[in-house]
Amino acid sequence: MASTDFKDYYALLGVSKSATVEEIKKAFRKLAVKHHPDRNPGDKAAEERFKEISEAYEVLSDKEKRQKYDQFGQYWKQAGAGATGGWPQGNGGVNVGDFDFSQYGNFDEFINELLGRFSTPGGPRGGNYTYRTNTGNPGYGEGFAQQPSGGDQTANLRLSLLEAFRGVQKRLNLGNEIIDVRIPAGAKTGSKVRIKGKGSANPYNQQRGDLYLNIELEPHSFFQFEDDNLVCEVPITPDEAVLGASIEVPTPDGQVTVKVPPGIRSGQTLRLRGKGWVHPKDGRGDQLVKIVIDTPQSLTQAEREYYEKIRDIRTYNPRNHLQRISL
């Protein structure tokens, strides 16, 4: 005979048997907000409903419990706990039958503790969860990403190229705490800086995760990155390309004189060793100078006459090899 107190957990949460964990969590949150006793004072039916959906969520969000529930139906508890029946007493167990709601100051505290229990080793695989009824900015600033309670948090931090090259100290507002963080020299877009113990606190055990800063560099008008090298483009004139020249090139340390060899072509690269980006473990990298031959758009009469003379006496034809090209 089927148990008279068997509950259809899927029906309680209003989800299908094929619902994902995320869909189950979303349904639970919606119902929890509606039926929580704090929002329905004196309503015994709402309190009982809240207990039922909490029980349903605990089971269906746990991979092993859900598998037993799907397999054994009304006998899943006996299958999970042996002949004694009742709730399996793992690390993630929640006795909702005689749950004392008065120990919580508000709805958020209960939900965060409940979901925090699920993130313990006895809970489901898939990491920690958090729940907040407010949707405002958590107080960290632009780019802050709300993360699981009692787990790691991440935030994006934008730096100028100068700040990243030299290293910089930044003051960050975490909402309930102001901290100073030293960003070491040589950070690049994609670098991560770990700040231990400054992540979110688990309300169940008060342990805090870590805060990870994702570094993002502001675009620069002259310098770019190519792998680990600092890259720039420097224009030269046609006569400098033909005859060679000494030109001034900006580096992170200031201007340096670079010799351009005669006959250089547009697109060729000169390497300035040790003038590139800071590598925390390997010292300075190289700066790559890409040469671009810049043809003048306006000429004086004298310049035009000299270019015409060069054209008339020039023996070099860069298109000679094209005469041998055919299909």
Side-chain angles (χ1 to χ4, degrees), residues 22 50 115 152 174 219 266 282 302 304:
E22 186 62 32
F50 184 74
L115 300 184
D152 297 335
L174 304 185
S266 189
D282 302 322
R304 178 173 295 278

Side-chain angles (χ1 to χ4, degrees), residues 269-285:
T269 299
L270 303 177
R271 183 181 295 270
L272 307 184
R273 297 194 179 278
K275 292 296 183 181
W277 200 246
V278 176
H279 301 308
K281 295 182 180 180
D282 302 322
R284 291 283 293 274

